[in-house]
Amino acid sequence: MAKANERPDATPRSEDVFVQTTVFLFSVALGMATVVVPLVATASGYALGAVGFLIATSAVTQIAARAGMGVLMDRFRTRSFVLASLVLLAASCVVLAVSQAFWAFIVSQLLQGAARAYFFTGAQTHVVRGPRAAVAALARMNITNGVGLLIGPLIAGLVGAWSLTAALWIAAAISGVAVFAGAFLIPYEPFTKPRQQPGITTRPMWQRPGVVTAGWMGATAGGWRGILNSYLAVLITEAGHSIPVAGAMMTLANLAALVGSSLATPLRRLGIGNSTLLGTVLAAGGTAAMALLVPHLALACVFLVLSGVGGGILQTLGPALAAESVGSEERGRSIASVGTFRAISLLVTPMGIGALVFVLPSPAIATAIVAVALGVPAMVSRRSAPGDN
């Protein structure tokens, strides 16, 4: 068994199989839920602005869970967070499948938020403890995640056209099956808390140059994901397109994110500043253009693809930069810090759009404004990123 801060000389083939299977199944279930939940809300009579606020509640538990994971990783194995996330995601789908009352939406989203936080922070930390370089390990995980997010929305669109409730039950079942694969992950021991030297004041994790830059990269990617999760399906259907089209476009966005993740390793050679610039322009600018062009499906798809590539670049390079900026014993805390930036963005983005909907003539304009605003902090902070080695 590998010790807390040691990397094994080689990752067993079985570990790769179990990691990728767990990531894939979780992503399929999550991809289904992200398409179905907003549609269930609109079918239940909630207005567009209210849907955004309902979806945003998931970020409350995301923020709380991610903020506390740095400490918890000193006490619990990373595998424990992955297993907990699978159970939470299944529970969130079951709650909404059983009832579409207001309380059910809130409980479901709070459970889903905790599931997202524990899974992605736990899984990212788990894979960077293996023998591969951080960027390569995270790119591999995000590619598998992307494949799952391709399939999930397609299943949701096809099943959802028949029954949205059935789609929720299927998502819950898939998440439950993933528990069996996750149980076989390497049980890395909890991290050893670094000793603080007398007379030396360590800056908070989120204030360290590499981590703060990575955090804003994660915030931009999180905002892109927040728009997809809360408003993409609704914008598409309100523009006159069908539910299967909404599912297909979500799959298209996730396919583009998969491409972006696969490009992260070679783009890393361009330097953090340049790769952050590219990813941010694509994610923020592409999302804004897509929102304004939703009635013109072909053009909307083009810019949706560009935004997805940018999102994939940022969501892979951000945690990798954070992990590379600290010692091995602090990698869990650094990735959790980046996740907190992302979680806050997932909360603020839908709520910001929801608020602007009440004062602007079009939800698309509100979405475009928020998308552009998302990219500003990442563009500014990239100048303070540490030099590339």
Side-chain angles (χ1 to χ4, degrees), residues 154-166:
L154 280 178
I155 297 174
L158 295 173
V159 178
W162 166 61
S163 171
L164 294 173
T165 301

Side-chain angles (χ1 to χ4, degrees), residues 25-41:
L25 293 175
F26 179 90
S27 301
V28 170
L30 182 61
M32 293 182 67
T34 54
V35 171
V36 172
V37 172
L39 296 175
V40 171

Side-chain angles (χ1 to χ4, degrees), residues 129-207:
R129 298 177 81 175
R132 294 186 178 89
V135 175
L138 289 167
R140 185 182 179 90
M141 173 187 159
N142 284 337
I143 289 171
T144 302
N145 175 53
V147 173
L149 291 175
L150 291 178
I151 296 173
L154 280 178
I155 297 174
L158 295 173
V159 178
W162 166 61
S163 171
L164 294 173
T165 301
L168 288 169
W169 282 112
I170 292 173
I174 292 171
S175 185
V177 170
V179 172
F180 294 99
F184 290 96
L185 299 179
I186 291 177
Y188 292 116
E189 292 298 320
F191 286 98
T192 300
K193 187 176 180 180
R195 295 180 180 179
Q196 185 172 349
Q197 299 181 12
I200 298 178
T201 301
T202 303
R203 299 174 72 179
M205 183 64 67
W206 63 272
Q207 290 183 358

Side-chain angles (χ1 to χ4, degrees), residues 323-341:
E324 292 171 350
S325 300
V326 299
S328 60
E329 72 282 353
E330 293 186 299
R331 285 191 160 193
R333 291 174 178 265
S334 68
I335 291 175
S337 295
V338 172
T340 303
F341 275 79

Side-chain angles (χ1 to χ4, degrees), residues 213 217 268 270-277 317 321 382 385-386 388:
T213 302
M217 293 167 72
R268 179 67 175 82
L270 299 178
I272 291 298
N274 291 332
S275 54
T276 302
L277 173 64
L317 288 182
L321 171 61
R382 71 187 179 88
D388 297 310

